[in-house]
Amino acid sequence: MRAYIIGSVALYRESLASVLGQTLHMQVKAGPPEPREVLHTLANWPADIVLLDAAAPGFLQLGQQITDHTQSKLLALALTENERDVIACAEYGFAGYISQNAGIDDLQRIIKSSRCGELQCSPQIAGGLLRRIHSLVGEHFTPSEQPNFTRRENQIAALLASDLTNKEIARQLNIQISTVKNHVHNVFEKLHVHSRRDAISRLKNLSQHKTFLSS
């Protein structure tokens, strides 16, 4: 089995490569998070597993390039284990992650599990992933399922879909930012989402199907 370790700190990535080579009897290479170098290496030396340090610059974007151009299983290394970060990794194509609190034994187990298509995570993270899947499925409204926005909520939703911030929405509608926040909260509830990113995605989908109009 081949593994490629990507990280900004040479001592860190090379030490980890040495440990994995000895304990798992893997062929291991290590390199910096420079996209062109990473993709060149993986094109000429296909790795089964790629470990990408979560602290590397452009971490998520580099991860997406790896998953777009290679068949390697991509794992986030030293990731902060919170719902937002894990879901972001999943959306960018990561097959799993090793938390900041994981030890060598954990790392070995997760690498082996990822090769079998398994994801090891806490029940809380699993719940977050399920909620995210539910929100994605819910993006495809039928006309009878369109949100029942008030006139003001329709205005807020249209501006929200245009990626305006609460402050920009308040300025454009000449209302208090606290009022905007209240309306945004109501929009979230009617869309059945929990984040601004999900709301914007859902609203853009609705806009394409002309199921809400600004007024």
Side-chain angles (χ1 to χ4, degrees):
M1 184 166 63
R2 289 178 167 183
Y4 185 43
I5 300 171
I6 305 167
S8 301
V9 182
L11 181 61
Y12 170 57
R13 65 179 184 252
E14 290 172 6
S15 298
L16 185 56
S18 177
V19 170
L20 287 181
Q22 294 174 16
T23 57
L24 289 183
H25 307 293
M26 303 169 67
Q27 298 179 53
V28 187
K29 286 188 176 183
E34 201 287 310
R36 187 172 299 177
E37 180 175 337
V38 168
L39 295 178
H40 177 76
T41 298
L42 292 175
N44 291 282
W45 193 80
D48 301 290
I49 299 291
V50 173
L51 300 174
L52 175 56
D53 186 359
F59 159 69
L60 290 173
Q61 291 72 22
L62 177 55
Q64 186 169 48
Q65 289 186 54
I66 292 170
T67 57
D68 285 347
H69 294 92
T70 78
Q71 298 299 313
S72 304
K73 294 281 189 181
L74 178 62
L75 300 179
L77 183 61
L79 186 70
T80 302
E81 192 174 19
N82 62 55
E83 184 177 315
R84 180 195 62 193
D85 291 343
V86 174
I87 289 175
C89 286
E91 291 176 338
Y92 276 80
F94 286 75
Y97 67 94
I98 297 95
S99 77
Q100 290 180 331
N101 298 320
I104 292 298
D105 291 342
D106 299 313
L107 175 58
Q108 294 174 356
R109 184 176 65 255
I110 293 168
I111 287 175
K112 291 176 181 177
S113 295
S114 67
R115 290 206 67 197
C116 300
E118 299 173 355
L119 171 65
Q120 294 194 17
C121 63
S122 68
Q124 290 80 9
I125 295 299
L129 290 169
L130 286 175
R131 286 191 294 274
R132 179 59 179 148
I133 292 171
H134 175 74
S135 71
L136 290 172
V137 172
E139 287 181 7
H140 303 287
F141 281 106
T142 63
S144 62
E145 295 172 322
Q146 61 182 302
N148 184 25
F149 291 150
T150 65
R151 179 178 179 278
R152 179 63 87 184
E153 287 167 358
N154 237 352
Q155 293 176 320
I156 297 289
L159 295 172
L160 188 61
S162 300
D163 295 329
L164 269 65
T165 65
N166 287 353
K167 185 179 293 186
E168 289 169 335
I169 293 172
R171 186 181 303 117
Q172 183 150 335
L173 296 179
N174 195 28
I175 58 178
Q176 295 294 319
I177 191 169
S178 58
T179 303
V180 173
K181 290 179 179 179
N182 287 336
H183 287 304
V184 168
H185 174 75
N186 293 337
V187 168
F188 280 19
E189 285 196 337
K190 291 182 178 182
L191 292 174
H192 307 292
V193 299
H194 302 283
S195 72
R196 197 176 191 89
R197 178 182 58 189
D198 291 345
I200 291 172
S201 176
R202 185 78 58 81
L203 289 167
K204 287 180 177 178
N205 181 274
L206 289 171
S207 180
Q208 290 172 0
H209 292 85
K210 302 185 185 303
T211 53
F212 86 95
L213 299 171
S214 60
S215 55

